Amino acid sequence: MGVDVVEEVLRITPEIRRRFPKAVFFGGQLVFPDDTFFTRMLHNHIVFAVQRQLYRLGMAFVIMPIRL
């Protein structure tokens, strides 16, 4: 548990990668029927920040859309 999601994911990935060398990480991106300023502000693309950091480390990361 932590305050920054990206930091926490990066903290636990070395252990996961050590235990499962061929691991593929998945993240979900919420897709709203009506995109508004508030939905964009509240769901601020954390999954893309995680994806960017894991790609830099050479880890596979897939973003799955989650329709609401």
Side-chain angles (χ1 to χ4, degrees):
M1 294 190 66
V3 176
D4 184 17
V5 174
V6 178
E7 186 178 301
E8 288 301 313
V9 169
L10 293 175
R11 186 182 63 76
I12 63 173
T13 50
E15 175 63 20
I16 294 170
R17 194 169 192 190
R18 185 186 65 74
R19 291 180 60 196
F20 308 101
K22 295 182 181 182
V24 176
F25 294 86
F26 290 86
Q29 176 65 34
L30 296 176
V31 178
F32 295 96
D34 299 317
D35 192 27
T36 65
F37 170 75
F38 293 110
T39 58
R40 286 191 301 267
M41 183 177 71
L42 292 173
H43 304 281
N44 58 1
H45 306 289
I46 290 174
V47 71
F48 297 117
V50 172
Q51 178 188 42
R52 195 170 34 255
Q53 294 297 324
L54 292 182
Y55 277 177
R56 285 183 183 151
L57 297 173
M59 297 181 191
F61 188 82
V62 178
I63 297 175
M64 304 292 294
I66 302 171
R67 287 190 295 172
L68 298 177

